[in-house]
Amino acid sequence: MEFQIVQVSSLEKVRAEDRLDHHEIHAKSVLAGERLSYQICVRTDCRMDAAVSVESPFGSSVRLYLVKDANMDYPVRETGNEGEDYITLEPGMMPDILVPLEETGFRVTLTDRVSTLWVRADIPGDAAPGDYEIKVKVAPESGWNICERMYVHVIPAKMPEQKLIYTRWFYADCIAVQHHVEIYSEEHWELIDKYIAAAADTGINMILVPIHTPPLDTEVGTVRPCVQLVDIEKQGDQYTFSFQRFRRFIDICKKSGIRYFEMAHMFSQWGAKCAPNIMVTENGVKGYLFGWHVAADSEEYVSFLKQYIAAISKELEAEGISEQTYFHISDEPSQDSMDTYRTASDIMRPLIGDSKNFDALSDYSFYENGLVSCPVTSVMHVHEFLEHDIPNQWTYYCCNPEKVFTNSFMAMPSARTRVLGFLLYKYDIKGFLHWGFNFYNSSVSRYPVNPYLTTSGDRSYPSGDPFIVYPGRDCVYLSVRGEVMYDAIQDMDLSDETYTIGENNIQGLISGTASMKRELTAEYAEMGRAAMEAYKREVDQHSPSKEFQIIGSNDIKGIIEGAGG
């Protein structure tokens, strides 16, 4: 009987049909409080069941997951991606879903196709410096067993607190639809709790709060299922607001460690031409008083906004989160919608006072004209903003870019996702936004989709773009991409900690790796390309998809060890 087992980096995406000839790892250096992830891949020449167990002085801080395949039905949208850094451009299955082994009774079925275990160790913050061991045993029913060991060296330094503000947009309506529960029933609240906990577990520390149903990815003239937290009643020209559900939502966020909050956009997407869909009770009748039928600058909506935002601001003060709250105007305005966005911004800015307003936009003139205080710029266009040394610069990516740049599409190697952490550190980016934590709809939410049948919103986006978690049985499953993104954030924080310990060592590493080419300060794309090529020459590597596995956290930790003794 043939039995193959290898222990590999978390940056490998090992597909079921792959040969197990990957580079093996058996030792890691970490900081106290750091998360360590790696994989164990197994193949046999005959079907057999096996029990899996783990032994470690870290105890319950070590968790095991079975990596399940997701249906990568639409790897990319654009043509001409041949030669770009993708694992494949062909539809197929890709490892992504992380199922806790508790659900399988710590048993796996082994076959002639690769089975992969994801090992995650959240090193305790009070772990003493020294050497530890994580031992994972795979025991087939035939009676023999094999053990894979990871030797973990905890260095005398502690993982710093996360610096980056990180949000992926949270959709309460998609949770209700996928799990077939009534909106804001007790079952829905329990699931909201689990999804927010999952978000925090992946490093997300800001949540999009549906004070009204967020006007995002909604076809013009239609409505998404109403998840408005604030009950609103109109009497004459006055409005009253009930924040009971809002308070429960914020309490759930606080319990999971969410520190920052973004209020749903106050105007329609892609141009700020209309009011969002807002439910109001008037004369005992509940309906959409505002929505596509109401102009953004209508007298009635402006009057409502003055009362609405004043009430929200008062509630934020009472919750003690006003300084950690950001307001949106409209998502992704273009140059063509400058006038309508300016009108909306002029309405909003006096109402929110010292609160921050931020939006995803890529034209510098919006910031230059004072229309937004915190620009969230696409990685494709951030160079112009970086040239002006903006103090509150954020960045984002979404359905694109597909070429050259970092992103988290399913078909990309994990290194292409993880390099984001170094870029964020290099350019002192304050926050990162992505549009899809759990978007389980087609384009502009025409209909819900099954995320196990399509990971692309039914060929609306590149596979993996709409979500990084999967609905389970009354639970939520994490993903490989979400864990790699967490590692990217750790890389950013480790870089900052390394700078503190080793002065300019990390800046030297990154700047030297990038050859300090002038273009690097102007273009994320050139940074990624030049850094990979320079580092390839430096360490004689040959696989473009693996360059940043080598310039990843191990190298940074090596610098920390050298500086900290």
Side-chain angles (χ1 to χ4, degrees):
M1 180 182 68
E2 182 181 359
F3 187 96
Q4 289 180 282
I5 184 166
V6 296
Q7 189 165 266
V8 301
S9 165
S10 61
L11 289 176
E12 300 283 3
K13 285 187 179 179
V14 184
R15 305 179 78 186
E17 65 275 14
D18 285 355
R19 296 178 58 185
L20 292 183
D21 55 1
H22 302 74
H23 173 71
E24 293 196 57
I25 56 172
H26 295 283
K28 285 281 190 176
S29 294
V30 299
L31 280 67
E34 185 178 351
R35 178 177 296 175
L36 165 64
S37 296
Y38 60 95
Q39 301 173 90
I40 297 173
C41 305
V42 186
R43 170 187 279 132
T44 67
D45 60 357
C46 60
R47 183 187 179 282
M48 63 180 72
D49 291 332
V52 182
S53 59
V54 59
E55 296 177 19
S56 170
F58 298 129
S60 61
S61 295
V62 180
R63 298 204 62 191
L64 301 179
Y65 299 86
L66 182 62
V67 183
K68 302 290 285 185
D69 286 340
N71 181 24
M72 187 178 67
D73 56 316
Y74 199 47
V76 294
R77 296 192 302 182
E78 301 174 3
T79 59
N81 276 305
E82 294 78 9
E84 292 291 328
D85 196 16
Y86 284 92
I87 296 170
T88 180
L89 297 175
E90 296 299 321
M93 306 304 289
M94 189 65 72
D96 195 50
I97 309 165
L98 297 180
V99 178
L101 269 191
E102 289 88 343
E103 285 200 11
T104 69
F106 288 90
R107 301 186 70 81
V108 295
T109 299
L110 306 177
T111 69
D112 60 352
R113 296 174 69 78
V114 176
S115 297
T116 299
L117 301 172
W118 187 276
V119 184
R120 189 179 104 177
D122 288 294
I123 309 301
D126 60 356
D131 296 316
Y132 300 83
E133 184 182 71
I134 299 172
K135 185 164 58 176
V136 176
K137 183 187 295 183
V138 180
E141 289 181 338
S142 56
W144 53 278
N145 63 73
I146 190 166
C147 187
E148 284 286 347
R149 290 174 168 84
M150 176 64 75
Y151 298 99
V152 180
H153 178 65
V154 177
I155 69 172
K158 187 173 181 179
M159 190 74 191
E161 186 175 345
Q162 181 174 321
K163 180 181 178 182
L164 183 75
I165 305 176
Y166 172 33
T167 180
R168 282 190 184 242
W169 283 343
F170 175 90
Y171 302 103
D173 60 328
C174 290
I175 297 173
V177 171
Q178 287 295 319
H179 292 272
H180 308 288
V181 297
E182 183 181 346
I183 290 175
Y184 295 136
S185 62
E186 284 305 309
E187 294 85 357
H188 191 211
W189 280 114
E190 290 174 6
L191 287 163
I192 287 172
D193 193 338
K194 292 174 182 178
Y195 274 76
I196 289 177
D201 192 49
T202 59
I204 291 170
N205 56 8
M206 172 184 268
I207 288 290
L208 177 64
V209 181
I211 45 175
H212 50 266
T213 304
L216 298 169
D217 294 280
T218 307
E219 189 168 27
V220 174
T222 69
V223 298
R224 289 176 61 163
C226 180
V227 288
Q228 181 173 313
L229 287 170
V230 181
D231 285 326
I232 306 171
E233 186 169 353
K234 183 182 182 186
Q235 296 177 331
D237 293 332
Q238 299 300 308
Y239 298 86
T240 57
F241 306 92
S242 172
F243 288 90
Q244 184 176 353
R245 285 198 300 266
F246 173 86
R247 292 168 190 152
R248 183 171 182 177
F249 187 90
I250 296 300
D251 284 346
I252 289 172
C253 290
K254 289 179 177 178
K255 182 185 71 172
S256 289
I258 300 298
R259 297 177 54 199
Y260 302 94
F261 304 87
E262 50 180 320
M263 300 298 104
H265 301 67
M266 295 295 177
F267 298 89
S268 61
Q269 194 174 24
W270 303 314
K273 295 179 180 179
C274 306
N277 293 313
I278 298 180
M279 192 79 74
V280 178
T281 300
E282 184 177 17
N283 299 322
V285 179
K286 193 173 186 178
Y288 286 107
L289 183 62
F290 304 107
W292 297 106
H293 59 290
V294 178
D297 60 349
S298 71
E299 185 176 341
E300 185 175 14
Y301 186 57
V302 172
S303 174
F304 165 77
L305 271 183
K306 291 176 180 177
Q307 299 176 55
Y308 188 36
I309 293 176
I312 292 169
S313 298
K314 184 178 179 180
E315 190 65 27
L316 295 173
E317 288 283 352
E319 289 287 340
I321 59 173
S322 59
E323 293 185 5
Q324 293 81 43
T325 296
Y326 291 62
F327 284 88
H328 284 288
I329 296 172
S330 173
D331 183 47
E332 290 189 321
S334 65
Q335 183 65 40
D336 292 341
S337 58
M338 171 72 79
D339 290 342
T340 54
Y341 189 88
R342 184 192 304 276
T343 298
S345 178
D346 289 345
I347 293 168
M348 277 286 294
R349 282 182 285 111
L351 301 181
I352 64 175
D354 294 332
S355 296
K356 303 176 187 68
N357 71 301
F358 75 144
D359 275 317
L361 47 83
S362 295
D363 192 312
Y364 180 72
S365 59
F366 284 88
Y367 179 81
E368 187 177 33
N369 289 311
L371 305 185
V372 62
S373 61
C374 180
V376 184
T377 312
S378 167
V379 295
M380 293 188 296
H381 303 286
V382 74
H383 57 275
E384 184 178 4
F385 290 77
L386 292 174
E387 289 172 356
H388 292 87
D389 196 24
I390 296 170
N392 295 309
Q393 182 66 59
W394 283 47
T395 192
Y396 80 99
Y397 54 59
C398 55
C399 331
N400 53 55
E402 294 187 13
K403 297 180 174 68
V404 180
F405 295 84
T406 178
N407 214 309
S408 53
F409 302 149
M410 199 170 286
M412 290 179 172
S414 292
R416 192 165 168 183
T417 298
R418 186 162 168 176
V419 71
L420 177 68
F422 292 100
L423 296 170
L424 296 173
Y425 172 76
K426 171 71 179 177
Y427 295 108
D428 194 25
I429 301 297
K430 306 303 181 185
F432 181 78
L433 179 151
H434 189 278
W435 73 283
F437 174 67
N438 63 319
F439 184 80
Y440 307 128
N441 289 337
S442 68
S443 176
V444 294
S445 300
R446 291 190 180 97
Y447 50 88
V449 301
N450 183 335
Y452 292 96
L453 297 180
T454 173
T455 51
S456 65
D458 204 4
R459 298 190 177 187
S460 301
Y461 321 98
S463 279
D465 194 42
F467 55 85
I468 59 164
V469 293
Y470 295 79
R473 301 185 190 93
D474 300 321
C475 66
V476 55
Y477 294 138
L478 304 176
S479 70
V480 168
R481 291 172 298 115
E483 291 297 299
V484 171
M485 185 67 187
Y486 186 93
D487 285 343
I489 297 170
Q490 285 196 140
D491 289 340
M492 181 184 183
D493 294 327
L494 280 165
S495 300
D496 201 42
E497 180 72 0
T498 304
Y499 185 82
T500 301
I501 296 174
E503 295 296 332
N504 292 315
N505 286 347
I506 188 64
Q507 282 286 5
L509 171 66
I510 296 177
S511 296
T513 301
S515 301
M516 286 304 291
K517 290 180 67 175
R518 186 173 181 178
E519 291 85 354
L520 297 182
T521 60
E523 191 71 64
Y524 266 87
E526 198 61 31
M527 166 82 186
R529 219 173 235 163
M532 286 184 180
E533 289 303 316
Y535 201 76
K536 184 192 294 185
R537 292 192 300 269
E538 196 169 316
V539 297
D540 193 28
Q541 292 299 310
H542 303 290
S543 172
S545 67
K546 296 181 180 178
E547 306 308 331
F548 280 94
Q549 294 184 35
I550 298 159
I551 192 173
S553 59
N554 279 341
D555 282 358
I556 292 178
K557 292 166 199 166
I559 292 174
I560 293 175
E561 290 183 77

